[in-house]
Amino acid sequence: MLENHAKLMRFFSEAKEVTGRKKLQKMVYILQSFGIPFEEKFQFHFYGPYSEELMLRVEELCNLGFIHEEKEVKSNYFQYHYTLTNEGTDFLNQFSVEMPNCLESIELLQGKSSRFLELVSTMLYFKDLPKDDVEAKVLAVKPKQKYSEEEMAEAWNLIGELAERLH
Amino acid sequence: MAYKDEQLQEEKVFKDPVHRYVHVRDRVIWDLIATPEFQRLRRIKQLGTTNITFHGAEHSRFNHSLGVYEIVRRIINNFQDRPHWNNDQRLLCMCAALLHDLGHGPFSHSFEKVFKLDHEYFTQAIILGDTFVNKVLERVSPGFAQEVADVIAKTHSNKLVVSLISSQIDADRMDYLQRDAYFTGVSYGHFDMERILRVMRPIEDQVVIKSSGMHAVEDYIMSRYQMYWQVYFHPVTRSAEVILTKILHRAKHLYEADYNFKLKPIHFLSFFTGDVSLEEYLKLDESIVHYYFQLWQEEDDKILSDLCERFMNRRLFKYVEFNPNKQISDLMRLMQLFKDAGIDPDYYLVVDSSSDLPYDFYRPGEEEERLPIHLLMPNGSLKELSRHSDIVESISGKKRTDHKLYFPKDFLQKIDDEKIVQEITGILYGKERE
């Protein structure tokens, strides 16, 4: 009961600010893949794993005044920024929720581009396949992104690093 | 003739209240419909507990799956000879459309939440496992089952094919909106699908809408919006869903506490232990669930028997609007008062949020957040729908969400301590007791 909302608010509290819905989606998915208990259901979409449930919950948090959403007009699209409000902090103080410490991992992910996080989250989506097949599958489902071998290697490194930190 | 090309001697039709007729000519489609795994969908309602509110909503996943297949069949007929369309993908599209919901179980939303299941996992398992469906698909060609599974999982490399089955304006949504409107009897949910099908155009990696057809798409977006609030999020349906979820939680809890069930939950055991095999999953349909709920009304456990009696006899929880921002301390206090009155708040005091339900409405979103609906402009460029349509812009700009607090009002009338009753009703309804 409101536990899933509280978990997301804990995430926003640690992230301080999240820029971009795509980045938000991929960060939550990546953390969930490493066992952080977010309950939102993700499906594979055009731009990688995506959760409608997550987006709706974030909208609820915005409507409740727990999260502040700022819309920034870019050249031909909008970008959204999210921060926890004082009311959100007050709620978290009243409503205790158990979450593993993932502050360092969140900071690590925040430093990456949304394009790179799309690659990492897509690789994790196919994590049950053998390593070579994962790369082949990524190239097959994302031909337009033209991910390089270096990016793939960097993504594997990040996955390894997260696995060490979060397990 | 190769099995994949085999045609029935005569076209078969299914009479359908939404599309008038569902036409089948391909042997493969006919054989898939005849499999036990597909026939099982007759025993799973499309809208779960919605029939408790809208009594006509008894239609099944079987109806809907045939409907999606029929829409895709018509789209493909329109796509013949259009640029970017490869007719070799025809059978793949139709099989994926027919089988896209194959893994749904009874009341799947509640089951998935409580037992941490995923119907999409079971769709894949049925298509790729040792099943009749798999045998039919592999007869088409080795590896064909995997292709169908990939299209349904949206991980197939052909994005155009995927977008027919799953996108913001896909065959799945077009069928369920119309079908759910028809069977619930509501007047929303209708739009000119024939017109939309006529203005759909395949491009390299998605289906787009010719800009002259924008008004038909506006109607579709409006109906999606109205169905969302008027049918899918109906508070009475949500009350039934809350009770159903609590029954499953209670039964699982009792099993874990070694409770001695009068009716052993044999069909639920693997769900309780979290190790559900495909064979066990396929055995559980709505008739089985109702059988248990019927008999569990006679269990000694008061919570389980009460919840089952409520579900079977439509004695639902009442609700009040709830604002988690302003009323969180009220909620904490209510939980304590319920405990003091001997009512377990874990089962009888529930906050339900709009994000708890598996439906969405159209939002253009951010760049590369998710693929929006694109209009194909006369100069060949693509434009996101809400940038061109004032109606869609105004709907998609509204972010309406809500939260309700559910509780058994009848229990409050049985509490002996008048002070507790006064305080509970004061919090729930303001100062006066109803």
Side-chain angles (χ1 to χ4, degrees):
Chain A
M1 197 153 57
L2 297 172
E3 206 178 313
N4 293 327
H5 295 80
K7 285 178 185 171
L8 284 177
M9 285 158 69
R10 181 75 64 202
F11 165 79
F12 283 110
S13 162
E14 298 201 337
K16 305 285 186 284
E17 179 176 342
V18 180
T19 298
R21 287 183 180 173
K22 180 175 170 181
K23 195 162 189 175
L24 166 68
Q25 287 276 340
K26 307 313 174 203
M27 285 175 77
V28 172
Y29 179 77
I30 291 167
L31 292 169
Q32 189 191 64
S33 303
F34 286 102
I36 305 300
F38 295 114
E39 299 287 334
E40 285 74 22
K41 188 175 170 184
F42 282 81
Q43 291 183 318
F44 200 78
H45 277 239
F46 202 87
Y47 301 108
Y50 179 86
S51 170
E52 182 60 37
E53 199 178 354
L54 171 61
M55 207 53 243
L56 266 173
R57 206 157 273 153
V58 169
E59 284 183 358
E60 284 176 346
L61 292 172
C62 292
N63 286 353
L64 289 168
F66 291 150
I67 301 284
H68 175 66
E69 179 186 80
E70 198 171 310
K71 189 175 177 179
E72 184 188 356
V73 182
K74 292 279 187 179
S75 55
N76 56 354
Y77 65 98
F78 300 114
Q79 190 164 55
Y80 298 85
H81 300 259
Y82 296 96
T83 45
L84 190 71
T85 62
N86 291 338
E87 284 167 299
T89 308
D90 290 346
F91 178 90
L92 274 182
N93 290 337
Q94 287 187 76
F95 195 101
S96 68
V97 60
E98 289 295 315
M99 283 283 274
N101 181 5
C102 48
L103 179 62
E104 284 182 9
S105 303
I106 289 174
E107 284 171 355
L108 183 63
L109 293 172
Q110 271 192 316
K112 307 291 178 188
S113 70
S114 61
R115 169 191 152 85
F116 182 71
L117 295 182
E118 180 180 344
L119 170 63
V120 174
S121 58
T122 302
M123 288 165 84
L124 287 168
Y125 197 84
F126 298 114
K127 63 179 177 230
D128 293 337
L129 298 175
K131 192 173 173 182
D132 287 348
D133 292 357
V134 170
E135 295 190 10
K137 190 72 184 174
V138 169
L139 295 174
V141 295
K142 304 212 160 290
K144 282 191 172 171
Q145 293 285 41
K146 297 190 180 4
Y147 287 117
S148 66
E149 279 181 26
E150 289 74 26
E151 283 177 298
M152 291 270 191
E154 197 188 334
W156 285 120
N157 284 342
L158 180 67
I159 289 170
E161 199 172 332
L162 288 169
E164 260 177 43
R165 286 180 186 207
L166 294 170
H167 276 166
Chain B
M1 185 185 284
Y3 178 56
K4 71 179 175 60
D5 299 320
E6 246 182 77
Q7 300 288 293
L8 300 171
Q9 214 161 26
E10 280 189 335
E11 183 179 68
K12 303 278 187 186
V13 288
F14 293 79
K15 193 81 187 81
D16 184 85
V18 177
H19 307 305
R20 291 193 66 236
Y21 288 100
V22 173
H23 305 254
V24 179
R25 195 70 199 264
D26 293 77
R27 163 71 61 191
V28 174
I29 298 297
W30 188 246
D31 289 350
L32 284 172
I33 293 170
T35 59
E37 295 90 11
F38 192 80
Q39 291 292 319
R40 164 187 163 275
L41 296 178
R42 290 180 187 272
R43 304 189 297 276
I44 293 168
K45 284 199 292 292
Q46 174 72 11
L47 287 180
T49 57
T50 298
N51 69 321
I52 282 181
T53 313
F54 299 94
H55 67 264
E58 297 278 350
H59 55 304
S60 69
R61 300 265 178 204
F62 181 88
N63 306 165
H64 166 63
S65 299
L66 284 182
V68 178
Y69 152 80
E70 175 63 15
I71 294 174
V72 165
R73 192 191 68 78
R74 292 182 194 182
I75 293 172
I76 291 172
N77 277 352
N78 292 343
F79 279 4
Q80 300 297 316
D81 303 323
R82 286 209 175 274
H84 302 291
W85 176 249
N86 176 358
N87 213 39
D88 291 347
Q89 307 291 354
R90 178 180 164 276
L91 191 62
L92 175 63
C93 288
M94 294 199 305
C95 289
L98 186 72
L99 303 177
H100 77 285
D101 267 354
L102 198 58
H104 268 291
F107 308 109
S108 52
H109 184 60
S110 297
F111 269 74
E112 287 182 21
K113 286 281 173 204
V114 176
F115 301 123
K116 314 277 184 223
L117 302 170
D118 179 4
H119 71 267
E120 275 145 19
Y121 165 82
F122 285 102
T123 300
Q124 301 286 308
I126 296 168
I127 291 173
L128 300 173
D130 182 15
T131 59
F132 290 93
V133 163
N134 180 266
K135 285 186 180 65
V136 173
L137 295 173
E138 285 300 287
R139 226 183 120 190
V140 172
S141 64
F144 186 66
Q146 183 65 59
E147 279 211 75
V148 172
D150 284 349
V151 171
I152 294 172
K154 301 183 267 289
T155 56
H156 195 279
S157 55
N158 189 327
K159 299 290 177 200
L160 172 59
V161 168
V162 171
S163 76
L164 281 179
I165 318 291
S166 177
S167 65
Q168 296 274 6
I169 185 158
D170 59 20
D172 184 20
R173 291 179 205 271
M174 283 197 277
D175 184 80
Y176 76 61
L177 285 173
Q178 294 180 94
R179 192 168 300 279
D180 295 347
Y182 177 88
F183 282 99
T184 52
V186 299
S187 57
Y188 344 98
H190 303 287
F191 54 92
D192 188 352
M193 187 180 78
E194 291 307 312
R195 174 80 180 134
I196 292 178
L197 299 193
R198 285 179 63 83
V199 295
M200 278 183 150
R201 295 287 180 272
I203 62 167
E204 187 191 351
D205 55 4
Q206 58 179 300
V207 176
V208 296
I209 306 290
K210 199 176 154 192
S211 62
S212 59
M214 183 184 77
H215 300 294
V217 180
E218 285 177 338
D219 234 14
Y220 157 84
I221 297 288
M222 278 298 285
S223 75
R224 191 167 152 187
Y225 184 81
Q226 287 174 319
M227 287 294 284
Y228 184 84
W229 288 110
Q230 303 297 328
V231 175
Y232 302 133
F233 278 19
H234 197 288
V236 175
T237 306
R238 287 162 70 181
S239 177
E241 193 90 15
V242 162
I243 293 172
L244 171 65
T245 303
K246 291 299 174 188
I247 292 173
L248 299 177
H249 274 300
R250 186 64 182 175
K252 183 169 187 272
H253 167 79
L254 291 173
Y255 170 78
E256 286 166 352
D258 283 332
Y259 169 80
N260 193 16
F261 285 88
K262 285 181 187 167
L263 175 66
K264 298 260 178 286
I266 297 162
H267 294 85
F268 286 90
L269 293 181
S270 60
F271 290 81
F272 294 158
T273 56
D275 184 24
V276 188
S277 71
L278 179 57
E279 194 186 353
E280 288 161 321
Y281 187 80
L282 290 171
K283 276 184 192 161
L284 195 77
D285 59 30
E286 279 181 19
S287 348
I288 304 271
V289 173
H290 277 125
Y291 170 74
Y292 278 97
F293 287 7
Q294 176 78 358
L295 293 182
W296 280 348
Q297 292 179 76
E298 283 149 40
E299 285 292 340
D300 291 333
D301 180 74
K302 292 274 181 281
I303 293 177
L304 182 63
S305 61
D306 174 69
L307 292 171
C308 288
E309 193 274 327
R310 285 176 187 278
F311 188 79
M312 296 305 285
N313 299 325
R314 202 188 182 280
R315 209 163 51 82
L316 303 177
F317 289 176
K318 301 295 180 195
Y319 65 91
V320 291
E321 298 298 328
F322 177 72
N323 183 330
N325 189 351
K326 298 194 167 68
Q327 294 171 287
I328 192 68
S329 52
D330 285 350
L331 178 63
M332 301 298 179
R333 180 65 189 145
L334 278 173
M335 288 168 86
Q336 188 54 52
L337 289 166
F338 269 53
K339 276 183 196 162
D340 294 346
I343 305 169
D344 190 337
D346 284 347
Y347 295 97
Y348 290 107
L349 193 62
V350 183
V351 176
D352 188 68
S353 304
S354 42
S355 61
D356 292 336
L357 290 163
Y359 294 94
D360 61 338
F361 40 78
Y362 181 70
R363 276 187 241 81
E366 194 179 85
E367 191 188 38
E368 297 201 349
E369 179 189 346
R370 66 187 301 191
L371 198 65
I373 296 175
H374 278 128
L375 295 176
L376 179 63
M377 307 310 286
N379 64 3
S381 65
L382 298 182
K383 201 163 184 178
E384 191 277 311
L385 176 64
S386 69
R387 299 289 178 110
H388 203 60
S389 160
D390 295 338
I391 290 176
V392 175
E393 190 197 11
S394 71
I395 292 181
S396 55
K398 295 241 182 301
K399 291 178 190 166
R400 210 178 120 190
T401 51
D402 85 345
H403 310 266
K404 289 186 171 30
L405 182 62
Y406 286 89
F407 57 95
K409 192 175 177 187
D410 51 300
F411 269 14
L412 306 185
Q413 282 145 4
K414 292 179 191 156
I415 299 173
D416 292 332
D417 189 329
E418 191 57 29
K419 259 179 79 180
I420 293 180
V421 179
Q422 291 282 351
E423 193 175 346
I424 290 176
T425 49
I427 294 172
L428 291 172
Y429 298 109
K431 294 298 162 206
E432 287 171 33
R433 182 175 185 175
E434 281 204 354

